[in-house]
Amino acid sequence: MSDVKNYLGAYSAQVQEQAQTLLDSEQSGAWLLKKYPTAHTLNGPRALYEYAMDLKNDFMRSSPPISKVIYDDKIHIINNALGLHTYVSRMQGNKLKAKNEVRISSLFRRIPEPLLKMILVHELAHLKEKDHNKAFYKLCCYMEPDYHQLEFDLRLYLSHRDRFGDLW
C-alpha cells in the first residue's frame, strides 16, 4: 500500500490527506489521465536533447552549455532524484574542462510532456542556481509558470505508480 508521505511529505497535512483519499478510492489514475491523457514521444536521446536545448535557448541563453541530456537507468526515484544535473570534468591538454550533463530517470520515458518539461526545467535551473532556494524556484516558475502544480501532479503519479503501476 503506497503512502503519499513517500513523495508528498513536504506538502501540508491537508494536501497529503486529499491525495491519500484519491489513492485509497482508486480515483488517482482517472484524475491523472483526465488531466494528462497521453505520454510524450521524446523517447530517444536526440529528441530529449533537442527538447532540453530548446528550453535552455528560450529561457537561459547565457547559461553554460549542456553536453548531454539522456535517460538514465541508474537513477532511482527512491533517492528523491527525478533527474540529475552533473558536471563531468576532463583534462584537455593542461586545461581542466567541465561539461554539464542532465540525466533523467528512465522511468520518465513514458509520462506526459508537461511532467517531463517540469523535470527538465528543474534540472536546467541548476545551471544557474545550485541550491533549492527562492531564486531557484523563481527561475523554475519563470521557465514553467505551472511548475509547482506539475511537480505535485508528478509526485501524485509516483504515489499512484507505487500502488497501481504505470498509467502511460
Side-chain angles (χ1 to χ4, degrees), residues 12 20 23 34 41 47 74 83 85 87 91-92 99 118 122 136 146 150:
S12 71
Q20 191 68 54
L23 283 165
K34 183 177 181 187
T41 57
K74 296 176 186 148
H85 167 250
Y87 301 95
M91 287 296 290
Q92 289 186 343
K99 291 189 174 190
M118 184 278 305
H122 182 101
F136 174 85
D146 243 3
L150 291 167

Side-chain angles (χ1 to χ4, degrees), residues 6-134:
N6 293 344
Y7 301 107
L8 297 167
Y11 291 86
S12 71
Q14 181 184 5
V15 169
Q16 287 182 44
E17 189 177 308
Q18 289 173 336
Q20 191 68 54
T21 300
L22 205 55
L23 283 165
D24 291 343
S25 65
E26 299 185 15
Q27 295 296 310
S28 54
W31 185 83
L32 286 162
L33 285 170
K34 183 177 181 187
K35 202 166 182 183
Y36 308 103
T38 59
H40 68 78
T41 57
L42 304 164
N43 297 319
R46 183 176 195 90
L48 182 64
Y49 178 81
E50 288 174 0
Y51 184 76
M53 289 306 294
D54 286 345
L55 280 171
K56 181 190 172 302
N57 291 334
D58 285 348
F59 297 104
M60 301 175 62
R61 192 172 295 278
S62 64
S63 64
I66 301 172
S67 62
K68 188 187 288 185
V69 181
I70 60 170
Y71 290 107
D72 192 336
D73 295 331
K74 296 176 186 148
I75 297 175
H76 298 288
I77 54 169
I78 296 159
N79 301 334
N80 270 336
L82 307 176
L84 292 174
H85 167 250
T86 58
Y87 301 95
V88 177
S89 297
R90 293 187 179 92
M91 287 296 290
Q92 289 186 343
N94 61 353
K95 293 182 181 174
L96 186 63
K97 296 269 185 169
K99 291 189 174 190
N100 291 293
E101 295 183 356
V102 173
R103 296 171 179 268
I104 305 295
S105 175
S106 292
L107 165 71
F108 302 123
R109 280 185 195 266
R110 303 248 338 121
I111 61 171
E113 183 270 336
L115 301 180
L116 178 66
K117 181 181 179 186
M118 184 278 305
I119 296 168
L120 284 168
V121 159
H122 182 101
E123 298 311 326
L124 289 172
H126 280 303
L127 291 172
K128 285 196 174 185
E129 294 291 334
K130 304 304 176 220
D131 297 322
H132 294 121
N133 55 27
K134 194 173 187 176

